[in-house]
Amino acid sequence: MGTTVRGLLQQGNTKLGTAIHVWSIPAVTTCPGRTSICEGCCYATRHRFRFDSVKERLDWNLEQTKRDDFCDRMVKEVRRKGVLVLRVHTSGDFMDRVYAERWLWIMKKVSRPRYYWYTRSWRIPEIAEVLEKMAALKQVRGWYSTDSETGTPERIPKRIKVAYLQVDEDTPPKPADLVFRVRRLRKLPRPRIGLTVLPLCPNEVNSEVSCGSCQRCFA
Ligand code: SF4
């Protein structure tokens, strides 16, 4: 008798839009580039992420990444579901070089979807090398996540963009291609550096805008 194997990917939520598929693993423990700032306001440790069913799912996903068949299963599922856009990690991050290389292999093997990710693992040099290879692929959009603790990366590889997380109205934002703000700052005027107004995530300005309709992060 055959065993029913659970799918690896899930469909996006209201913020992302259901046309986007997502892959996630547990937050914090898989985030080697995390800062006290992102850990302190991480949405992936709050709200629905506290439900036992969600925790069980993320732990299960993490287990799958350690199996020899992870890459083949992911490739098959992306093809079978006809995935168009794949957000790698709504929770968690590229936890080590081996895992990042697995994703690089998947992205090369099945190039149809548009893959996108935000990561602080750029702070780990051996992982950053793999991220750079991913971002060089035409089907990948990579974002280096930053905050006042990380500062701006010294080297930003071609095709990689920078997202800045603002948690404090007194800390001037750093240059970035996109700014995310914690909820209590969202009513404040747009952040600027000198005369330059930094672009805000439209979903944080108007919750009716989903990633599927905005597309800024993966278009
Ligand atoms: S900028 Fe657009 S695509 Fe990116 S997170 Fe915000 S709503 Fe989603």
Side-chain angles (χ1 to χ4, degrees):
M1 206 159 63
T3 314
T4 305
V5 180
R6 208 181 194 185
L8 295 168
L9 296 172
Q10 293 178 292
Q11 278 186 282
N13 55 18
T14 320
K15 189 229 161 182
L16 287 169
T18 50
I20 295 175
H21 284 78
V22 298
W23 166 253
S24 291
I25 51 180
V28 182
T29 53
T30 66
C31 303
R34 70 185 180 276
T35 61
S36 59
I37 290 175
C38 69
E39 191 174 343
C41 63
C42 180
Y43 64 82
T45 56
R46 296 176 164 80
H47 312 299
R48 70 179 188 86
F49 287 93
R50 288 196 166 153
F51 296 163
D52 286 345
S53 59
V54 177
K55 286 190 202 164
E56 185 278 330
R57 172 73 200 207
L58 295 176
D59 288 342
W60 183 84
N61 282 4
L62 183 59
E63 282 306 307
Q64 306 317 299
T65 68
K66 296 170 186 160
R67 290 177 49 142
D68 291 341
D69 62 359
F70 173 69
C71 293
D72 285 334
R73 282 166 59 205
M74 184 63 80
V75 164
K76 278 188 192 141
E77 190 167 326
V78 167
R79 286 189 176 135
R80 181 168 47 81
K81 290 184 170 170
V83 175
L84 296 176
V85 181
L86 175 47
R87 162 106 183 248
V88 183
H89 306 134
T90 43
S91 162
D93 205 341
F94 294 106
M95 59 192 150
D96 56 37
R97 185 180 177 111
V98 170
Y99 173 67
E101 282 174 337
R102 288 182 155 210
W103 269 107
L104 175 62
W105 187 89
I106 293 165
M107 290 165 185
K108 284 181 173 171
K109 189 81 179 170
V110 56
S111 60
R112 179 165 183 245
R114 179 63 55 86
Y115 300 86
Y116 76 108
W117 39 260
Y118 313 87
T119 184
R120 276 182 180 71
S121 296
W122 60 266
R123 304 178 78 205
I124 315 300
E126 63 174 22
I127 304 177
E129 287 174 19
V130 187
L131 299 174
E132 191 167 342
K133 288 181 190 164
M134 282 180 204
L137 302 171
K138 67 174 183 353
Q139 61 273 33
V140 176
R141 298 288 178 272
W143 291 81
Y144 278 1
S145 297
T146 65
D147 53 48
S148 60
E149 191 174 326
T150 67
T152 306
E154 276 177 23
R155 207 179 80 77
I156 303 168
K158 208 172 153 191
R159 290 173 51 85
I160 286 186
K161 293 190 174 181
V162 173
Y164 179 77
L165 172 65
Q166 189 181 20
V167 296
D168 177 355
E169 58 191 294
D170 298 328
T171 308
K174 305 274 187 232
D177 300 293
L178 185 62
V179 175
F180 294 101
R181 301 199 286 196
V182 290
R183 197 165 292 277
R184 70 188 165 75
L185 300 184
R186 290 183 191 167
K187 295 268 187 263
L188 293 177
R190 288 172 176 260
R192 54 170 69 219
I193 299 177
L195 292 177
T196 308
V197 180
L198 299 179
L200 289 171
C201 164
N203 171 266
E204 294 186 356
V205 179
N206 174 1
S207 62
E208 287 183 13
V209 179
S210 70
C211 297
S213 59
C214 166
Q215 303 191 5
R216 181 182 186 115
C217 292
F218 54 85

